[in-house]
Amino acid sequence: METEPKKSKGWCWWILVLAIAAMVVASATLTIWSNGRHSKVSSVPDRPGKIAENYADALKIAIQFFDIQKSGKLVNNKIDWRGDSGLEDGREEMLDLSKGMYDAGDHMKFGFPMAFTATVLSWAILEYGDHMKAVKQLGNAQASLKWITDYLINAHPSPNLLYVQVGDPELDHECWERPEAMTEKRPVTQVNTSFPGTEVAAETAAAMASASLVFKKINSSYSNLLLKHAQQLFTFADTNRGSYSVSIPQVQPYYNSTGYGDELLWAASWLFHATRDESYLRYVTLQNGDAFARWGTPTWFSWDDKLAGTQVLLSRVNFFDTTEISDGENIGLQMYRKTAEAVICGLLPDSPTATSSRTDSGLIWVTEWNPLQHSVASAFLAVIYSDYMLTSKTETLYCSGKHYKPADLRKFAISQTEYVLGNNPMNMCYLVGHGSNYPQYVHHRGASIPVDAETGCHDGFKWLESLDPNPNLAVGALVGGPFLNETYIDSRNNTMQGEPSTYNSALLVGLLSGLLTSSSVVSSFS
């Protein structure tokens, strides 16, 4: 859990810097760039190689879930049981908040997880867009991303104001209806200087900064607009520090934040990649690393905690781009990379520091609610890190006495992916629409109600209670996943296991894109 920021004390900081420098120099066995065991690996191809057809099929399916989750006036609608919805969202504030995506099986638009969805999807495109292009999915991924960023732009009408929610979760959860038939009130919620929301503002800044890189070469004016919003939002988030869970206590039962330091580092890291402005690098290293980074402590990557993702993302800088970076910043980057290594070492099943948070069959398992988020997120980080190693020709990762190759990281990522796709004790594919045995009772309102059903808010609950499978297939939905004992109860009322989410899908899209073929990653996004 993140802590409140500590005031910077200049002399304390320089003592810390000197201590870190001494540790980096002395600890030859803790860092793969100073242990003297480097050797060249075989070069990886610049372009995608042979395609793994099973992963290509799964990727095509997974990307479709974004179309199912779209709000607004649907253009070139690809889902025959979906239609226009949420067209009046934001109208009371004279805003067009009709776009964006419903986060899960209900009809809320929660800005915090939606922005995280966009950031992860951007990251996936930036690392593996060439892979997506090879299987004709890059355009679909970019279109899904833009559907979210269009919404985020409209949700940020002035520098210090961000609308972070559409709908009242209590009212929304009193209904079971198709999104096209919504009639209940859908109020909007904002954060501002009086009621700050550092986490959600910073995550939205990260989404816009990363997306600006995605669109930089294909729509430069849109990219510039996104970057402008990102910079304004980061300044707003950093200047007006305060938890959105405190400002808006009604979000706590849904997407409660455990702290905002991770989002500030995450956003600044993306802004550095997007602008190459060294002030953002100073922010994450010299200025705020000691307060927020939790160097040396592995964490789980999720919509709430961005530290592990930040550590891997900043490792990219340490792998590929240290030529004009100051010594102090380089020390900070090495600490981020060392912590990223600790994260990855914890994931490898036979590592001396392997986490015990996994099932008997080897699936990373952290929480009862939506456990596959952590499994897929962990595998996504592992495949990215393995590709950083390959592209930089770094042969080994050192984990407390054992050495691992990039292929070992990829093997772990494949094990998690294969489990999700059906290689598990239930022989259940947790990606709806892939294979022949997947959940039939997904907790999803639109999927559970026939298109021609004339039901309102309350009488629609008969479809929730129905014993029949969903009449509409939620193609691409990644459900929450199995219990620790590796069982899964396929029931529409089983929200804990059976509700999909857009952020799960974004992580899975990134993972599948990384695994469906091989090629070197770019050394710089810009």
Side-chain angles (χ1 to χ4, degrees), residues 361-378:
S361 296
L363 180 76
I364 292 294
W365 196 98
V366 181
T367 60
E368 283 190 322
W369 283 89
N370 191 21
L372 286 180
Q373 177 186 196
H374 294 103
S375 317
V376 174
S378 297

Side-chain angles (χ1 to χ4, degrees), residues 263-325:
E263 278 83 20
L264 287 172
L265 298 178
W266 178 239
S269 300
W270 277 113
L271 278 161
F272 172 69
H273 280 288
T275 64
R276 311 305 297 177
D277 183 339
E278 197 173 342
S279 66
Y280 293 113
L281 196 58
R282 286 197 300 274
Y283 184 96
V284 300
T285 54
L286 297 172
Q287 294 173 358
N288 292 281
D290 61 333
F292 296 136
R294 298 184 66 188
W295 285 323
T297 303
T299 53
W300 298 106
F301 187 42
S302 71
W303 60 262
D304 180 42
D305 192 337
K306 318 299 161 47
L307 282 179
T310 301
Q311 289 146 10
V312 171
L313 182 64
L314 290 175
S315 295
R316 163 180 265 285
V317 183
N318 187 260
F319 271 114
F320 302 124
D321 186 17
T322 59
T323 53
E324 296 183 5
I325 295 173

